[in-house]
Amino acid sequence: MAGGSANQVVPKKISVSVISSISKVSPVEWDACNLDSTGPENLIHFLPWFSFELRRVRKQDGCLATLLPRMKLKILGVVPLYLKSHSYGEFVFDHSWADAYYGFGSQYPKFQCCVPFTPVTGPRILVRDTSIRDQVFDVLVSALKDMTVKSEVSSLHITFPSEGEWHKLKEKGFLQRIGMQYHWKNRNYKDFDEFLMDMKQSKKNIRQERKKISVQNLTMKRLRGYEIKARHWDSFYNFYRNTTDNKWGSPYLTKDFFHIMGSKMGDQVLLVVAEEGDEFVAGALNLIGGDTLFGRLWGCHPRAYYPSLHFEACYYQAIEAAIELNLSTVEAGAQGEHKIQRGYLPVTTYSCHYLVDDAFRKAIEEFLERESSQVNLVMKLIRDSGPFKEGIH
C-alpha cells in the first residue's frame, strides 16, 4: 500500500503453522495472546496445562492441532482445535446432525474449537494486541476453513465464543446458533437475605430448603486454595464418579486431574463441601475468573440421599460466595429449569458452525432459524414470569 495515509495499516506477511500438541506452545506466548485478547477472566487461559494434564492422566492425545500465525518469529495468535468423532463434552448438542450424516452414508468426524468440557463464553480465536489484529483474525479464520475442506471432515464448530466473534464469523460464512444458560446476577447485595428481598414467593421456598441442611446435621464449608487438601480431592473424585455413574455419563476426569487442578489454579478454585460429622458427604466445584464464579461439577456420597443438598451446595453457596467476594455473576452451567426459581435467569450463549456440504448446510441453516425463534421465545417467557419482583431483571 505504498502512498497510503499514515493512519492506514500496511498488510504484513503472516505465516500460519499447525502444531500437533498445545503443550508445544510457550505458556508465555499463549498468555500474551490470551490476555491481550480477553483479559484474565477467560478460562481459556488455563487450556495449555489443562489439555496437557488431561492428556497425561487419560493416556491419550485430546488436542489435534493448534494454529499459530507468526510474523518473523513472533506468535500473533493461537487457536486450539480438536478432531472429534462424537459430540460428548460439548454442551452444544449436534447429535441429530451426526445422525443425518450417517443416515446418508457419510462420516461425521469434525473439527472443534473449544475449551474442553467447559461451557463458558469467551473468545476462542486469540489474537495478540497489535495494529494488525483484524488481519491476523482473518488469516486464522481462512486457515481454519481451508483445513476443514482439505482434511475432508464434515464441519468446523466453534462453541461458546464471545458475541463479538459470533457476529464476525457470520461474515466469514459460519452459521449462527444460540443457546441458553442460567446465570445469577449480583445487584450489589450486602448478604443473602438482601438478595431474597428481591424475590417474589419463591423466597419462602428457598428459606425452607436451606433449613433442611441443618436439620440433617450437615455443615457447609467453602474452601479455597491451600484450604483444599488432598483428602478433599480424593473424596470429591468419588462424588464425581457417583454422579457420572448415576447419570450414565463418562468419567472423563481422573483423580490425578483434580489434584493437579488444585495445585495449578490455587485461589481460583472454590470447593464447596458438605460434612456430616467429620465425614465429607458432598461437594461442588467452582472456578473463579475475573468477576465471575463458574459452577462446574457436583457430586454426593452414594450411600444416602440428602434433600435440598444439591441446591444448597451448587446454587445458594455459590450466591453467598459471589456476594462475599464481590463477584458480579454466577454461571451455573448448562441446562436446568429448576435454577429459575432459585434466582438464576436465562442468558444467551453462542456457537458458530461451518459445514462443507451445501445440502446439509442449507438444511441446518433452516433448522437453526426455527430453533433460534424458539429459544428467544422461551427466554422471553421465562423473564416475563421470572422469580423476581417487577422491575428487577
Side-chain angles (χ1 to χ4, degrees):
M1 282 191 177
S5 70
N7 293 328
Q8 288 180 320
V9 176
V10 179
K12 305 291 185 179
K13 184 177 180 180
I14 300 171
S15 63
V16 178
S17 303
V18 180
I19 62 174
S20 60
S21 174
I22 202 169
S23 61
K24 295 180 181 179
V25 182
S26 160
V28 175
E29 294 278 13
W30 181 280
D31 283 350
C33 296
N34 173 59
L35 297 180
D36 285 345
S37 296
T38 69
E41 71 277 3
N42 190 359
L43 293 183
I44 205 170
H45 166 72
F46 297 100
L47 191 52
W49 77 260
F50 185 100
S51 293
F52 176 75
E53 298 297 351
L54 180 62
R55 181 173 67 254
R56 184 180 70 81
V57 297
R58 293 185 64 203
K59 302 293 191 295
Q60 70 178 51
D61 193 346
C63 183
L64 168 80
T66 304
L67 273 65
L68 301 176
R70 299 174 185 265
M71 191 170 64
K72 294 183 179 179
L73 297 178
K74 184 178 182 180
I75 294 177
L76 300 177
V78 290
V79 180
L81 194 65
Y82 298 81
L83 177 64
K84 298 190 66 183
S85 59
H86 57 76
S87 303
Y88 300 114
E90 296 172 9
F91 304 95
V92 177
F93 303 111
D94 60 350
H95 300 290
S96 59
W97 304 1
D99 291 342
Y101 270 86
Y102 288 125
F104 280 89
S106 301
Q107 297 299 308
Y108 191 65
K110 61 181 180 179
F111 284 144
Q112 185 83 20
C113 175
C114 65
V115 180
F117 318 111
T118 308
V120 172
T121 293
R124 295 295 179 257
I125 299 174
L126 308 181
V127 181
R128 191 188 291 262
D129 189 11
T130 72
S131 61
I132 56 171
R133 286 185 68 175
D134 290 343
Q135 184 184 348
V136 175
F137 183 89
D138 291 346
V139 166
L140 279 169
V141 174
S142 295
L144 286 167
K145 292 165 65 175
D146 288 345
M147 278 187 65
T148 303
V149 174
K150 292 176 181 178
S151 301
E152 297 184 345
V153 298
S154 66
S155 48
L156 164 65
H157 306 262
I158 301 176
T159 47
F160 298 99
S162 66
E163 185 178 3
E165 273 185 329
W166 186 69
H167 287 298
K168 289 169 69 175
L169 288 166
K170 180 182 180 181
E171 300 171 1
K172 306 295 183 182
F174 284 73
L175 300 181
Q176 291 182 301
R177 191 179 195 184
I178 61 171
M180 181 172 62
Q181 288 182 351
Y182 298 96
H183 296 178
W184 178 86
K185 295 297 182 182
N186 187 355
R187 299 172 180 85
N188 297 315
Y189 297 121
K190 296 183 180 65
D191 52 35
F192 194 90
D193 285 337
E194 188 174 18
F195 150 64
L196 288 182
M197 295 304 296
D198 279 349
M199 304 285 282
K200 293 188 288 193
Q201 295 300 319
S202 56
K203 62 173 170 281
K204 181 178 179 181
N205 294 332
I206 292 174
R207 287 194 174 102
Q208 290 176 342
E209 286 179 344
R210 302 207 75 183
K211 286 179 181 178
K212 293 179 182 178
I213 303 305
S214 58
V215 170
Q216 297 174 84
N217 295 318
L218 296 174
T219 302
M220 307 302 301
K221 293 182 179 178
R222 296 192 294 271
L223 308 176
R224 291 181 69 190
Y226 71 91
E227 297 173 326
I228 308 174
K229 309 300 183 184
R231 68 181 186 277
H232 294 114
W233 288 125
D234 289 343
S235 296
F236 184 76
Y237 174 71
N238 293 331
F239 303 154
Y240 161 73
R241 286 301 306 266
N242 183 46
T243 298
T244 57
D245 292 347
N246 286 339
K247 293 188 175 182
W248 306 96
S250 298
Y252 291 104
L253 306 176
T254 70
K255 185 184 295 185
D256 285 346
F257 175 82
F258 292 106
H259 286 274
I260 293 166
M261 180 181 63
S263 66
K264 292 283 186 179
M265 296 183 68
D267 277 348
Q268 290 185 279
V269 177
L270 186 148
L271 185 66
V272 175
V273 298
E275 296 179 352
E276 187 175 20
D278 295 329
E279 183 182 11
F280 304 118
V281 296
L285 174 63
N286 304 269
L287 303 179
I288 301 171
D291 63 355
T292 302
L293 181 71
F294 302 94
R296 293 275 62 87
L297 300 171
W298 144 266
C300 188
H301 198 292
R303 72 161 184 266
Y305 168 66
Y306 300 93
S308 298
L309 180 54
H310 173 256
F311 303 138
E312 176 66 31
C314 295
Y315 307 139
Y316 304 145
Q317 287 291 321
I319 290 172
E320 285 195 335
I323 295 172
E324 178 183 297
L325 299 172
N326 197 29
L327 303 176
S328 66
T329 306
V330 176
E331 290 195 16
Q335 304 173 308
E337 290 77 7
H338 56 275
K339 298 170 185 172
I340 299 168
Q341 294 305 314
R342 294 169 177 88
Y344 292 75
L345 292 179
V347 298
T348 305
T349 58
Y350 307 95
S351 61
C352 306
H353 309 271
Y354 181 75
L355 292 102
V356 177
D357 186 280
D358 288 338
F360 276 105
R361 175 186 173 85
K362 182 62 176 176
I364 290 175
E365 185 175 21
E366 293 173 353
F367 163 75
L368 292 180
E369 289 176 359
R370 296 192 300 271
E371 182 187 53
S372 295
S373 297
Q374 286 294 105
V375 172
N376 284 322
L377 176 61
V378 169
M379 289 180 64
K380 183 180 185 305
L381 292 173
I382 292 174
R383 287 190 170 277
D384 289 347
S385 61
F388 290 100
K389 295 176 181 177
E390 188 173 352
I392 299 175
H393 303 284

